[in-house]
Amino acid sequence: MALAALLAGSAWALPSFTEVRRDFHPSDTLIVDRDGELLQRVRTDSTVRRGQWVALADVSPALRTAMVLSEDKRFYEHSGVDWRAVSSAAWGNVWNTRTRGASTITMQLAGLLDDDLRRGGGGRSLTQKLGQTVAAQQLERYWRKDQILEAYLNTVPFRGEIVGIDALSRTLFGKAPHGLDAREAALAAALVRAPNAKPALVAQRSCELMRAMEPESKPDCEALDMFASAALQRRGFEASEGIAPHLARRALKESGPNPETVRTTLRAPLQRFALGTLQRHLRELRGRNVEDGALVVLDNASGEVLAWVGSSGDLSRAAEVDGVLAQRQPGSTLKPFLYAEAIAERRLTAASLLDDSSAQINTASGLYIPQNYDRQFKGYVSVRTALAASLNVPAVRTLVMVSPEAFARQLRSAGMPLAQSGDYYGYSLALGSAEVSLLALTNGYRTLANGGGFGETRFVPRQLAARRDDVPSIDPRAAFIVGDILSDTNARARTFGLDSVLATRFWTAVKTGTSKDMRDNWAVGWSQRYTVGVWVGNASGAPMWDVSGTSGAAPVWTEVMGYLHRNEASRAPAPPAGLVQTRVRFGDELEAARNEWFIAGTEQAVFALAPDASATEAASRITAPSNGTIIALDPDIPPNRQRVRFEAEGRGLQWRIDGKPFARGNSAQWLPWPGRHRVELVDARGQVVDEIRLEVRGAGVVTGAKR
């Protein structure tokens, strides 16, 4: 009686089908988009390989047939115990630990559900076997046959760490359970009986099953042997699989312990399009030493991340590196924040004139000589042209006005924390010498899109995106003016042309950038609703070959923006309070007359050069280098790479070095030589009108020196 009570208690302790389904936990976590569509599957349990719960209707008919024929031919006839199988063999054979001939699917399931009935290393004890029999009858009383078979298929162990038909199908056959054919189904069923058997034995059992499943067919057992060997060696079902691996890792950190599903703010169709567009464009750039890229799309209003492409995937040799978070030099993409600061401080307006000519700026570490991307100078240009056409020298001159430290504070306020102080970077900060992440940079542009109001980004719905709307990070009036400039196709025509890839059929503001030695290429911009940032380069930091602002990231940016607005309009923002629009014209026809935006109180109608700004009228003088400049030579650099450029204002000029005629004209290049030198500027009458003194330090330059 005590034994009967024990067995009955064990049976009644068995869970319901609903409880088994509820307590089933995959070894993977599913990362889904805002609508529940799968983005990425990530393994989070290393102790077992268990897939998703599969409904019986989603299991192939061939597999259901094979499993019943293999494990329990009279499954649909008995009530938990196959008494015919029991009575057909001696008691020892029925309960022998090396055979499960009389153990039904229901009995096996009972053993899987109850730890007290679970098979040990030495087999089940008599008490366990009796308990398993009683439990199976109880299961049949409270569960339907389809529920029993469904639970069995999802909890039965197969080979090694594999548990359940979903993990087995994806690991050995690379497909979902509903797609298994007769051969694959027979192999799967054979593994239940002998999970760790050699491939030849598994193939033999599979061939017998196929004959039972299809009596009229003659399976090719030799071919099945080769198929079994290949399948059992296969290890599909990667630890992480999908279209958003980098975002998935971030989302898992934000979730609780071992979640089955994590919902994100992404849009799966957009993520898929962005990844495909980036990969296709990088394939088109083959031969230019570029293999990596990253992309992020933000919702302007909420800060939600709508797409997060961390790398080019299979095209990259460093696919694990997340290009959205990696720190890179942003190049000219920092210029909008610099001009916004200068406009907000009322040092400049959009129509102010800046000198785009050769400049040599004295710094604590020596001369800083900025150059434009095309190595050409445009003369005097307006701020609108300087920013839209991405001219470097005017940007550096603007930073001289603002100061590197003030500019660094502006960048930090817009969500770009720099590793060093502004003075550490010096005037090169105007050209993007600091390092920022694509996410921070894109969110900085989102700050411009939101009229200067900064807000944090978020990629899971329950994250709170902090905002600082009460104190704008950027003056709203300056942010509007910068956006108006970056949306002006005519203003950027000097560098990019009127038919640039940056032009869109709807309102957008965009800026490109390229870092030193073409190591990083960027395109970042916004529309009425979205901000998109794209980076192209190499995770290793290797330079690209002949990849410009319009051939690198810009085409990807344009395509993604076009996808976002295929059914959605984008209109220019309304000007904030405190702005006025005035008709302006430029002296000497430097630029065409136009309507221009000003912060109220800074507007004026005419912009012209001061009388001493024209080289034809100004007194002749040396403009670069400065008097007292010290030049250090490097003997390992070829001589033609160490020439010093002289610049002067005036007419009919001639240069003399140490009293000897050297060159004519307003500019000249000189190969320096160690020592102290006197440089004289002589006018057309032979009179010395200006002079400077230089000192050259270092060993003599050796022609053909090894590098």
Side-chain angles (χ1 to χ4, degrees):
M1 293 297 293
L3 177 61
L6 176 64
L7 297 177
S10 177
W12 282 109
L14 288 172
S16 66
F17 174 79
T18 302
E19 290 172 331
V20 171
R21 173 67 185 88
R22 181 197 63 198
D23 295 338
F24 179 89
H25 293 292
S27 60
D28 301 326
T29 296
L30 301 183
I31 311 298
V32 300
D33 80 341
R34 63 200 307 121
D35 298 317
E37 185 175 344
L38 181 63
L39 291 168
Q40 192 78 21
R41 177 185 51 75
V42 182
R43 184 171 183 178
T44 50
D45 185 351
S46 60
T47 62
V48 70
R49 200 71 177 102
R50 187 185 292 116
Q52 300 296 309
W53 184 278
V54 181
L56 190 61
D58 294 328
V59 176
S60 75
L63 179 59
R64 283 178 277 173
T65 300
M67 197 64 71
V68 170
L69 285 174
S70 174
E71 297 301 306
D72 192 353
K73 294 180 181 179
R74 284 179 286 275
F75 172 70
Y76 291 103
E77 301 172 17
H78 63 68
S79 58
V81 180
D82 187 354
W83 296 110
R84 288 175 57 185
V86 172
S87 62
S88 67
W91 181 264
N93 288 334
V94 171
W95 297 110
N96 191 289
T97 58
R98 285 176 288 183
T99 179
R100 293 198 327 231
S103 179
T104 66
I105 286 177
T106 313
M107 292 171 67
Q108 294 179 48
L109 178 61
L112 293 171
L113 298 181
D114 191 334
D115 289 339
D116 292 335
L117 302 178
R118 194 173 297 276
R119 184 189 184 101
R124 290 187 176 90
S125 66
L126 177 60
T127 301
Q128 285 180 312
K129 293 172 182 178
L130 292 173
Q132 188 181 23
T133 301
V134 176
Q137 293 175 313
Q138 294 295 327
L139 276 177
E140 292 274 355
R141 180 177 299 178
Y142 296 104
W143 288 33
R144 301 191 310 268
K145 285 287 188 180
D146 63 318
Q147 292 177 330
I148 292 172
L149 185 56
E150 180 176 320
Y152 177 73
L153 289 172
N154 282 284
T155 58
V156 64
F158 286 96
R159 195 174 185 86
E161 64 178 358
I162 301 172
V163 172
I165 193 60
D166 188 51
L168 179 79
S169 299
R170 297 184 187 278
T171 301
L172 300 191
F173 310 121
K175 59 174 68 173
H178 67 78
L180 298 185
D181 58 24
R183 182 174 61 171
E184 294 162 340
L187 180 61
L191 285 172
V192 176
R193 184 73 58 90
N196 298 313
K198 294 182 178 180
L201 182 60
V202 176
Q204 179 183 348
R205 174 62 178 156
S206 302
C207 198
E208 295 172 1
L209 272 176
M210 289 192 68
R211 290 193 186 102
M213 293 167 63
E214 302 173 352
E216 298 179 358
S217 67
K218 294 182 179 180
D220 187 343
C221 293
E222 185 175 344
L224 188 58
D225 190 9
M226 292 187 291
F227 174 75
S229 297
L232 295 177
Q233 291 177 5
R234 187 179 185 275
R235 284 293 176 267
F237 208 28
E238 298 293 335
S240 183
E241 193 173 50
I243 59 174
H246 303 89
L247 184 279
R249 290 201 296 263
R250 301 287 299 178
L252 280 173
K253 291 181 180 179
E254 296 289 333
S255 62
N258 301 323
E260 285 193 31
T261 303
V262 176
R263 188 176 295 270
T264 69
T265 60
L266 270 65
R267 296 179 184 173
L270 173 62
Q271 177 77 8
R272 196 173 296 108
F273 178 86
L275 176 60
T277 300
L278 179 65
Q279 290 178 331
R280 174 172 49 80
H281 183 65
L282 289 176
R283 289 189 183 97
E284 294 172 357
L285 292 177
R286 281 179 177 173
R288 299 193 188 185
N289 198 41
V290 52
E291 63 180 32
D292 292 303
L295 185 152
V296 67
V297 180
L298 303 178
D299 182 281
N300 290 342
S302 66
E304 291 179 337
V305 178
L306 305 180
W308 181 307
V309 180
S311 82
S312 59
D314 294 339
L315 302 179
S316 172
R317 285 173 290 183
E320 291 300 309
V321 176
D322 190 348
V324 173
L325 298 177
Q327 298 289 310
R328 302 279 182 178
Q329 288 190 343
S332 293
T333 56
L334 294 187
K335 290 176 183 175
F337 304 98
L338 171 61
Y339 284 106
E341 179 69 10
I343 291 172
E345 292 180 5
R346 301 193 175 206
R347 297 178 184 274
L348 293 174
T349 71
S352 298
L353 294 174
L354 293 171
D355 186 10
D356 181 30
S357 62
S358 178
Q360 299 187 28
I361 301 172
N362 281 315
T363 69
S365 57
L367 284 180
Y368 177 55
I369 308 175
Q371 296 286 337
N372 286 326
Y373 177 79
D374 58 4
R375 300 287 177 176
Q376 297 179 2
F377 299 105
K378 308 297 190 294
Y380 279 89
V381 296
S382 68
V383 166
R384 176 173 291 270
T385 298
L387 173 56
S390 197
L391 303 179
N392 287 344
V393 178
V396 175
R397 295 186 191 278
T398 300
L399 184 55
V400 172
M401 303 180 201
V402 171
S403 85
E405 189 53 44
F407 182 32
R409 287 196 299 270
Q410 172 72 286
L411 294 174
R412 294 189 188 98
S413 180
M416 287 172 274
L418 305 185
Q420 305 291 340
S421 67
D423 291 335
Y424 173 86
Y425 300 107
Y427 297 119
S428 66
L429 186 59
L431 309 184
S433 60
E435 292 185 337
V436 300
S437 71
L438 176 61
L439 182 62
L441 180 63
T442 305
N443 197 40
Y445 273 68
R446 174 176 160 255
T447 300
L448 290 170
N450 287 334
F454 171 80
E456 298 285 355
T457 61
R458 59 191 179 111
F459 48 84
V460 293
R462 64 174 175 272
Q463 281 179 316
L464 295 178
R467 295 183 64 89
R468 296 205 302 261
D469 292 328
D470 51 337
V471 181
S473 299
I474 300 173
D475 187 300
R477 300 164 299 178
F480 174 87
I481 293 173
V482 166
D484 187 66
I485 292 173
L486 295 180
S487 67
D488 189 343
T489 301
N490 292 326
R492 61 172 170 254
R494 282 201 178 187
T495 297
F496 300 101
L498 292 173
D499 59 347
S500 165
V501 68
L502 299 172
T504 57
R505 295 180 292 104
F506 44 90
W507 187 90
T508 53
V510 60
K511 183 74 185 70
T512 61
T514 303
S515 67
K516 184 181 179 182
D517 297 327
M518 288 190 178
R519 297 180 186 276
D520 307 280
N521 186 250
W522 311 75
V524 191
W526 70 93
S527 64
Q528 184 179 11
R529 183 173 177 184
Y530 307 104
T531 301
V532 178
V534 181
W535 167 80
V536 167
N538 292 298
S540 65
M544 299 171 284
W545 302 336
D546 192 29
V547 177
S548 67
T550 54
S551 66
V556 180
W557 181 90
T558 303
E559 285 195 43
V560 172
M561 266 297 184
Y563 177 86
L564 288 166
H565 290 282
R566 63 197 187 283
N567 298 314
E568 191 172 344
S570 176
R571 298 178 179 85
L579 285 180
V580 295
Q581 193 173 38
T582 301
R583 186 71 176 176
V584 299
R585 60 185 180 85
F586 298 87
D588 298 324
E589 298 182 350
L590 291 172
E591 294 187 11
R594 62 172 181 261
N595 293 327
E596 189 58 270
W597 289 102
F598 296 89
I599 293 177
T602 65
E603 68 272 17
Q604 65 184 72
V606 179
F607 289 82
L609 302 180
D612 62 349
S614 172
T616 60
E617 299 295 333
S620 299
R621 64 186 182 91
I622 299 172
T623 58
S626 302
N627 185 39
T629 295
I630 298 175
I631 301 168
L633 296 178
D634 186 337
D636 291 333
I637 298 177
N640 60 352
R641 298 296 179 88
Q642 301 194 73
R643 295 181 183 274
V644 177
R645 185 180 180 87
F646 297 147
E647 295 284 346
E649 295 177 348
R651 289 184 175 181
L653 302 177
Q654 181 179 354
W655 298 88
R656 290 200 305 226
I657 296 180
D658 298 330
K660 297 179 180 180
F662 166 62
R664 294 180 179 274
N666 291 78
S667 64
Q669 290 191 349
W670 173 60
L671 180 62
W673 197 257
R676 293 183 173 87
H677 305 278
R678 184 178 75 254
V679 181
E680 297 173 318
L681 187 66
V682 180
D683 63 14
R685 296 171 296 176
Q687 300 295 317
V688 176
V689 294
D690 197 6
E691 72 173 44
I692 60 172
R693 294 184 180 274
L694 306 175
E695 181 178 353
V696 180
R697 297 176 181 175
V701 179
V702 180
T703 303
K706 293 183 179 179
R707 301 189 63 185

